[in-house]
Amino acid sequence: MKRLATFFLLVIFSTLLFGQANNEILTNFAFGRYSEVIEQINKQEQNTELLQLKAMAFEGLKLYDSAITCYQNLYSADSLWALKGLARCYENAGVPTMAIEMYKKILSVDSTNQQLRLNYALLLKKSLYDNQALQQFKTLVGLDSTNAKYWDLLGDQYKKMKLNIEATTAYYNANNINPNDIEVATKYYKMLTISNVPASIVYEMVLETYQKDSTYLPLLMLKGKLESDMKKYSSSLKTFTQITTLGDSSFFTLKYYGMALHAEGYYFDAESILKKAYSLDSSDYLLNFVYAKTLTNIGESDLAVNILERTIKNLYPPNDLIATFYESIGDVYKMRSKYNLAEKNYLKAMELNKKNELDCLSKLLQCKLDQKDYRSANEIVSKYDSIATLTYANDSDQLSRAKQKVKYFKNMIKYEQFFMDEDIKKVLSDSSKNKVFIEKF
């Protein structure tokens, strides 16, 4: 279709400029027989019109150096036309700096040409001249504020430059002009999540668009992630199952699919999926944490500890996250009755994240009780009580719950100590032989 359209334009061109003599050259050009065009032109006396065709033929053959020479020779005859050809050729030849100079000259003469300005803006973006590209996209929006594509491209540029509020506004305008563009709508929703708009609000918007197209993968991925963030793991699992059915096996999909499987208790299936994700990228903190938890749940605790320790050592996560990792390592060792190692990791977790200190103290207490170390257990309960009193000084409900927990801990220790008393153990041993004694006791 494109070549036929070009053909008819060239027929008109030939009538105006050449007459019937050069129709064969124009026909060859229209059908892409560029080598023949050049050969035929070389046999004739050169003029401006033939040189123009020759330049375009070289361009069609991707012989950009030769095309540039032709366009340079034509510059004085038709400066604007030649500049446009030079801009195209320099860009296609991989010389963006020269192409940019050509576009500047063109736009200084023809400043309202939106297609040329769009080409210029895209070249600037591709060449990493972000500030200049941004100005050109803003100019395009100024020239036509009803053009959804211009707003979309402006949003892309803002996003690239991490100007999130501006990007969100641009995508909003693009979506408002053309609400049926699923790609733009998805970009807009993603920016809303980055801008900390509540997940529940964005989710409702996503569901509305999902009714229009339930197969657009980026929208499905956002839907599944939002469901995961909102702890709607059953829904997230269905969404990512649908995504994998559609053929996507990206790291993002494997990660959230595995997390949903883990959350729903399908540990062996989760391990298989998370293992694939981990092989693609072992630098994702959340993935590593959930993968380690899954491995622990299927009895692969050594590998779980190895993954957590490697993550701490090699990736340098934030302190609060490292604390969570240490706590998880402590849980593994506690489960395996390696209390010294468990306590060591719980103490590291407490050092790094004071906010989780009470939970770790509870786990330390259980370690001491399991080891029948009641003296240390009493010390931990006292420490728990004092920290809780300070932490929840302005929250009576939380403080009341903490005090109840302290009371529970103290009763637990008394209970354990009671059954450790040698005289009581002897009485219980004797009573097992005398049912009457048991009833009186």
Side-chain angles (χ1 to χ4, degrees), residues 233-234 236-237 240-241 254-274 290 294:
Y233 295 115
S234 176
S236 182
L237 180 55
F240 280 105
T241 300
L254 292 171
K255 172 184 171 180
Y256 282 96
Y257 185 30
M259 286 170 54
L261 285 165
H262 171 92
E264 290 296 288
Y266 301 108
Y267 299 126
F268 285 97
D269 291 335
E271 186 274 336
S272 174
I273 298 299
L274 293 171
V290 178
T294 303

Side-chain angles (χ1 to χ4, degrees), residues 153-330:
L153 290 168
L154 179 60
D156 289 346
Q157 187 61 38
Y158 275 133
K159 182 183 177 185
K160 183 184 178 187
M161 297 171 71
K162 301 189 185 306
L163 298 169
N164 294 337
I165 295 175
E166 292 85 351
T168 305
T169 302
Y171 288 138
Y172 167 79
N173 288 330
N175 183 60
N176 197 41
I177 293 168
N178 184 9
N180 293 320
D181 190 326
I182 308 298
E183 181 182 353
V184 170
T186 303
K187 291 179 184 179
Y188 173 47
Y189 303 150
K190 285 182 178 178
M191 288 311 304
L192 290 176
T193 62
I194 292 172
S195 302
N196 295 319
V197 173
S200 57
I201 294 175
V202 181
Y203 186 59
E204 290 302 317
M205 300 168 75
V206 167
L207 286 180
E208 186 176 341
T209 305
Y210 176 74
Q211 303 306 316
K212 299 177 183 177
D213 187 346
S214 61
T215 61
Y216 182 58
L217 281 174
L219 181 68
L220 281 172
M221 290 176 175
L222 179 58
K223 177 177 178 286
K225 183 184 183 302
L226 286 169
E227 288 163 344
S228 179
D229 293 344
M230 296 164 65
K231 301 191 183 340
K232 294 176 176 285
Y233 295 115
S234 176
S235 298
S236 182
L237 180 55
K238 290 177 183 177
T239 300
F240 280 105
T241 300
Q242 180 185 357
I243 291 170
T244 55
T245 301
L246 290 171
D248 184 75
S249 58
S250 63
F251 170 80
F252 180 92
T253 293
L254 292 171
K255 172 184 171 180
Y256 282 96
Y257 185 30
M259 286 170 54
L261 285 165
H262 171 92
E264 290 296 288
Y266 301 108
Y267 299 126
F268 285 97
D269 291 335
E271 186 274 336
S272 174
I273 298 299
L274 293 171
K275 183 178 181 180
K276 291 178 184 177
Y278 186 76
S279 69
L280 293 175
D281 184 359
S282 61
S283 66
D284 187 288
Y285 306 143
L286 180 57
L287 169 74
N288 294 2
F289 180 71
V290 178
Y291 184 30
K293 284 284 190 183
T294 303
L295 288 167
T296 302
N297 285 327
I298 64 170
E300 296 286 347
S301 56
D302 287 338
L303 181 55
V305 169
N306 182 267
I307 288 170
L308 293 172
E309 288 180 339
R310 272 190 290 169
T311 302
I312 293 169
K313 180 180 178 181
N314 298 327
L315 301 182
Y316 309 106
N319 280 352
D320 56 344
L321 191 55
I322 295 178
T324 303
F325 281 26
Y326 277 130
E327 186 178 348
S328 296
I329 294 171

Side-chain angles (χ1 to χ4, degrees), residues 73 77 150 295 362:
N73 291 334
Y150 293 166
L295 288 167
S362 297

